């Protein structure tokens, strides 16, 4: 199995920046795609960004100009650099890792944006 641990969330003013990290352990050699999702209270969980093992990326339209996903395969870690944060970005952010068969999720890290 794969274990994912997120870090880097917190409280930030609108317009500020945060960098989320997600460290993978366990059966890491089976991981292909990794990504970030988020969920606010009362709302559906939504895709934020994904990245393949080869480095191809995909972003939700709402974050495309502001967020950057990256991965360090040597460290088994995926990152989400979040700039120009808005109140609407407030949510629990979840790390995701996919194999050919299964999808794994981290515990989530809270991001709160205030003015």
């Amino acid at each position: 199995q794969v274990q994912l641990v997120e870090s880097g969330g917190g409280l930030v003013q609108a317009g500020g920046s945060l960098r989320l990290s997600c460290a993978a352990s366990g059966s890491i050699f089976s991981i292909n795609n990794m990504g970030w999702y988020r969920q606010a209270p009362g709302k559906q969980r939504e895709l934020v960004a994904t990245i393949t093992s080869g480095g191809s990326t995909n972003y939700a339209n709402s974050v495309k100009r502001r967020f950057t996903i990256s991965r360090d395969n040597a460290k088994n870690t995926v990152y989400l650099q979040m700039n120009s944060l808005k109140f609407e970005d407030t949510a629990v952010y979840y790390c995701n890792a996919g194999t050919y068969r299964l999808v794994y999720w981290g515990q989530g890290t809270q991001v709160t944006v205030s003015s």
Side-chain angles (χ1 to χ4, degrees):
Q1 294 192 3
V2 174
Q3 294 81 44
L4 303 172
V5 179
E6 302 100 331
S7 62
L11 175 65
V12 65
Q13 295 276 3
S17 298
L18 286 174
R19 190 180 77 157
L20 306 183
S21 299
C22 174
S25 61
S27 301
I28 59 176
F29 299 110
S30 63
I31 295 174
N32 184 15
N33 299 339
M34 300 187 74
W36 291 94
Y37 291 69
R38 67 187 182 186
Q39 186 169 22
K43 300 181 67 176
Q44 297 286 331
R45 183 175 296 186
E46 65 176 352
L47 171 76
V48 177
T50 60
I51 185 167
T52 69
S53 60
S56 297
T57 59
N58 186 53
Y59 297 91
N61 288 333
S62 60
V63 308
K64 189 171 294 183
R65 298 186 191 94
R66 301 181 294 118
F67 292 9
T68 302
I69 189 171
S70 61
R71 66 193 293 173
D72 186 335
N73 291 327
K75 296 181 178 179
N76 304 311
T77 301
V78 63
Y79 305 93
L80 185 69
Q81 178 67 47
M82 304 185 293
N83 298 325
S84 302
L85 282 162
K86 304 174 180 179
F87 176 79
E88 307 91 83
D89 297 317
T90 297
V92 177
Y93 284 70
Y94 296 92
C95 182
N96 163 278
T99 70
Y100 78 100
R101 182 176 175 87
L102 297 174
V103 175
Y104 298 90
W105 295 94
Q107 295 296 115
T109 184
Q110 177 71 49
V111 172
T112 303
V113 183
S114 67
S115 60

